[in-house]
Amino acid sequence: RKDRGVGLVPFENKKLLREQLEEVVLRVDNLIKNFPSAKDIKVCPFNGGSDVWVDIGDKSLGVQALQNYLTKNDTNGDITSKFLPSNTLHVGDQFASVGANDFRTRLSACTVWIASPEETRAMLSDLSKYLDEWSRY
């Protein structure tokens, strides 16, 4: 499904159990971390729900790159405008600690876990109300 992806997908009309997927994630993660040539490469093996993939990098790396880019291109110059982990919010859809890409964003930002588009809308509505009230002080 990914042009340059490395992963494990079940045979057609077959399903892998969550436990099987998690075992593969743990095994792949351990093998990569202990492979001498790969020790300095940030990778993220993860359970996609019905398959297992290994991404080069992870979302924490992506969030950090975005924070650096936005900070570098900010014309305000005020320290409070810097995009630091303490003032960055990531909205993620996974709460598994084993190989979860969204879990790793906690290294770079505060994270709100959501389970559906409706929950995302409700969270954004609450956040917007909070920011409006906070700006009045």
Side-chain angles (χ1 to χ4, degrees):
R1 290 182 230 168
K2 295 182 179 185
D3 290 343
R4 295 185 175 188
V6 175
L8 171 86
V9 294
F11 288 116
E12 194 170 326
N13 299 321
K14 300 290 181 186
K15 183 171 169 48
L16 295 169
L17 300 174
R18 181 185 58 82
E19 294 83 1
Q20 292 170 314
L21 296 169
E22 292 298 330
E23 285 297 326
V24 171
V25 168
L26 290 170
R27 174 81 186 237
V28 168
D29 192 49
N30 185 51
L31 286 170
I32 292 172
K33 285 180 179 170
N34 291 306
F35 191 71
S37 301
K39 285 189 183 268
D40 295 330
I41 301 172
K42 194 176 231 181
V43 297
C44 183
F46 64 94
N47 170 357
S50 61
D51 46 27
V52 174
W53 293 95
V54 180
D55 281 351
I56 303 298
D58 62 32
K59 285 188 183 176
S60 71
L61 186 62
V63 170
Q64 290 167 6
L66 182 59
Q67 288 165 331
N68 290 336
Y69 173 81
L70 293 172
T71 297
K72 190 188 320 182
N73 292 293
D74 183 18
T75 57
N76 188 359
D78 182 6
I79 189 70
T80 59
S81 68
K82 295 214 181 286
F83 296 87
L84 303 170
S86 59
N87 58 14
T88 303
L89 180 66
H90 169 261
V91 179
D93 63 355
Q94 293 180 347
F95 191 61
S97 58
V98 177
N101 229 342
D102 285 322
F103 184 81
R104 294 188 184 188
T105 59
R106 295 177 70 173
L107 301 170
S108 305
C110 177
T111 301
V112 173
W113 302 115
I114 51 94
S116 67
E118 295 77 25
E119 204 171 273
T120 303
R121 275 192 285 288
M123 184 278 306
L124 290 172
S125 176
D126 289 345
L127 179 62
S128 179
K129 288 176 191 171
Y130 170 77
L131 291 173
D132 284 344
E133 290 173 13
W134 182 78
S135 68
R136 292 187 204 127
Y137 291 109

